[in-house]
Amino acid sequence: MNKWNVGVVGCTGMVGQRFLTLLENHPWFTVTALAASSHSAGKPYQEAVRGRWKMSVPIPGSFKEMVVYDAVSDRVRIAEQVDFIFCAVDMKKDDIRALEESYARAECPVVSNNSANRWTPDVPMVIPEVNPSHLEIIPIQRQRLGTKKGFIAVKSNCSIQSYVPALAPLLDFEPERVLVCTYQAISGAGRTFDTWPEMTDNLIPYIGGEEEKSEQEPLKIWGSLTPEGIQAANFPSITAQCFRVPVSDGHMAAVFASFRHTPDISVVKNRWAAFQGLPQKLALPSAPLHPLYYFEEPDRPQTRLDRDLENGMAISIGRLRPDSQYDYKFACLSHNTLRGAAGGGVLLAELLCAQGYMD
């Protein structure tokens, strides 16, 4: 397998920090450029994140003395040094959209953790095990951008990656209605208990924009390719409530689902146990051996016990049972900054590389 030089744009935030912990010893990727806001530009990385390092492991030694670039003004210099970038910046959506497109037009592919381009019709929003075929839209995007190599690919919202993969093996039973309540960790807001003491012994029944993302993004993931872009699916109908809970990492989802053709419970469990996607078939470095794990215990999955399953890249499922209003209800759990954010971005980049899009 080839080796690729990569940049992390937005390297000082929580997701950027997580990217660096995952990339330190990656077998395919070597970090050759770091970028953040003008406030951090020109500083060694360890100085730029002094007092702001939020990971439980130390700053990787290979990045401590790397000088941070300005993500905006130095983008041409960055593009010259890397084969592609991971983007996890904290900016206004219009500014993110413009920044990512400017990198792509500079022939630097962008693997984005941001939401700004998720609804751009020719930008694939991909959960690698679920809809890898959507990467086939990239040539159409390149035509629009006027590029040979540059493009943008995005990962989906972190919370939907707890339950969308669980529904993926059941799509041929035609889910019609889905109700989901998510219980989301504070790291999803880029925070820790040290920086957000108000979350201790507290629950907030509102996360701005999350319910809309939870209801709409799965429909693009389950959508179809057209010459004009990705056409979102019409079904299932999804309704969501999203809560911020006093948990450091891990997004839990309580899921209720009804199907046009209701499968037997044993069939559902067998589908989950057998589920494999293209990342597993390609043996990508970050791919979990088993994407979905079902727990028979009545009190699982639990955030603290199960969020790190398969290096935080597997989804845990439990409590599947009939429901009085829907066909079934069950619980799902994913690690939001690993599977949901940086780890999902790294896996997406591996898939893009394996399929030749970074060449």
Side-chain angles (χ1 to χ4, degrees):
M1 179 58 67
N2 295 335
K3 300 279 189 175
W4 288 266
N5 292 329
V6 306
V8 178
V9 177
C11 63
T12 57
M14 180 174 278
V15 175
Q17 293 175 20
R18 180 69 79 180
F19 268 122
L20 293 182
T21 66
L22 297 174
L23 294 170
E24 181 184 19
N25 297 305
H26 194 280
W28 296 1
F29 304 148
T30 300
V31 178
T32 56
L34 301 177
S37 69
S38 58
H39 175 77
S40 298
K43 299 177 182 177
Y45 184 69
Q46 63 178 346
E47 181 181 338
V49 296
R50 183 168 290 134
R52 296 192 291 154
W53 183 254
K54 299 175 181 178
M55 300 292 103
S56 60
V57 296
I59 301 172
S62 56
F63 306 132
K64 286 183 177 181
E65 298 302 325
M66 287 184 67
V67 175
V68 178
Y69 287 109
D70 186 308
V72 177
S73 62
D74 292 328
R75 61 187 180 276
V76 174
R77 294 174 64 188
I78 295 167
E80 292 173 347
Q81 297 181 38
V82 302
D83 296 304
F84 65 91
I85 64 165
F86 295 102
C87 190
V89 295
D90 183 11
M91 302 166 62
K92 294 179 180 179
K93 282 192 177 183
D94 287 345
D95 295 335
I96 294 173
R97 195 175 295 113
L99 180 69
E100 292 181 345
E101 190 164 306
S102 72
Y103 275 96
R105 290 184 185 276
E107 300 294 359
C108 179
V110 178
V111 178
S112 177
N113 187 74
N114 303 300
S115 64
N117 271 302
R118 288 181 189 158
W119 285 96
T120 304
D122 58 12
V123 171
M125 177 170 61
V126 174
I127 298 176
E129 287 89 349
V130 176
N131 62 326
S133 65
H134 283 195
L135 298 179
E136 296 171 14
I137 202 71
I138 288 174
I140 292 176
Q141 184 191 150
R142 283 173 168 159
Q143 290 179 3
R144 174 176 64 85
L145 296 175
T147 60
K148 294 181 179 179
K149 181 182 177 183
F151 64 88
I152 303 165
V154 302
K155 52 160 292 301
S156 67
N157 179 262
C158 54
S159 65
I160 75 168
Q161 297 193 54
S162 60
Y163 61 90
V164 166
L167 290 169
L170 309 175
L171 291 181
D172 58 327
F173 296 111
E174 300 183 36
E176 295 182 304
R177 295 186 302 135
V178 174
L179 183 153
V180 60
C181 296
T182 61
Y183 305 90
Q184 301 184 206
I186 62 173
S187 58
R191 308 287 284 275
T192 65
F193 287 113
D194 289 338
T195 61
W196 203 358
E198 298 86 356
M199 276 306 303
T200 303
D201 193 31
N202 195 21
L203 183 152
I204 299 175
Y206 172 74
I207 306 172
E210 284 293 297
E211 290 168 0
E212 294 81 0
K213 294 172 186 175
S214 294
E215 293 172 352
Q216 297 168 12
E217 287 188 16
L219 300 179
K220 183 175 182 181
I221 287 169
W222 292 325
S224 56
L225 299 178
T226 75
E228 290 73 39
I230 298 166
Q231 179 66 47
N234 292 322
F235 291 96
S237 172
I238 304 173
T239 184
Q241 287 202 99
C242 300
F243 299 80
R244 188 71 72 193
V245 297
V247 169
S248 58
D249 293 299
H251 286 355
M252 187 81 75
V255 185
F256 303 75
S258 287
F259 301 84
R260 185 175 182 183
H261 310 287
T262 306
D264 186 78
I265 280 185
S266 63
V267 172
V268 175
K269 291 181 179 180
N270 289 337
R271 289 285 185 94
W272 285 339
F275 180 65
Q276 295 240 303
L278 188 56
Q280 286 70 42
K281 294 175 183 176
L282 295 174
L284 299 180
S286 299
L289 185 63
H290 300 288
L292 305 177
Y293 280 77
Y294 184 77
F295 290 90
E296 293 288 353
E297 297 90 335
D299 59 352
R300 302 282 288 277
Q302 291 183 28
T303 306
R304 191 159 56 175
L305 294 179
D306 304 313
R307 63 190 169 200
D308 293 319
L309 190 62
E310 291 220 37
N311 298 313
M313 292 298 289
I315 289 93
S316 303
I317 313 171
R319 303 204 71 210
L320 174 66
R321 59 215 190 277
D323 180 68
S324 61
Q325 305 298 314
Y326 291 75
D327 291 334
Y328 293 120
K329 53 189 172 184
F330 52 91
C332 296
L333 170 70
S334 64
H335 194 303
N336 56 295
T337 67
L338 289 170
R339 165 57 78 163
V346 172
L347 183 61
L348 174 54
E350 292 168 358
L351 179 61
L352 287 161
C353 289
Q355 296 201 300
Y357 289 101
M358 299 299 194
D359 295 341

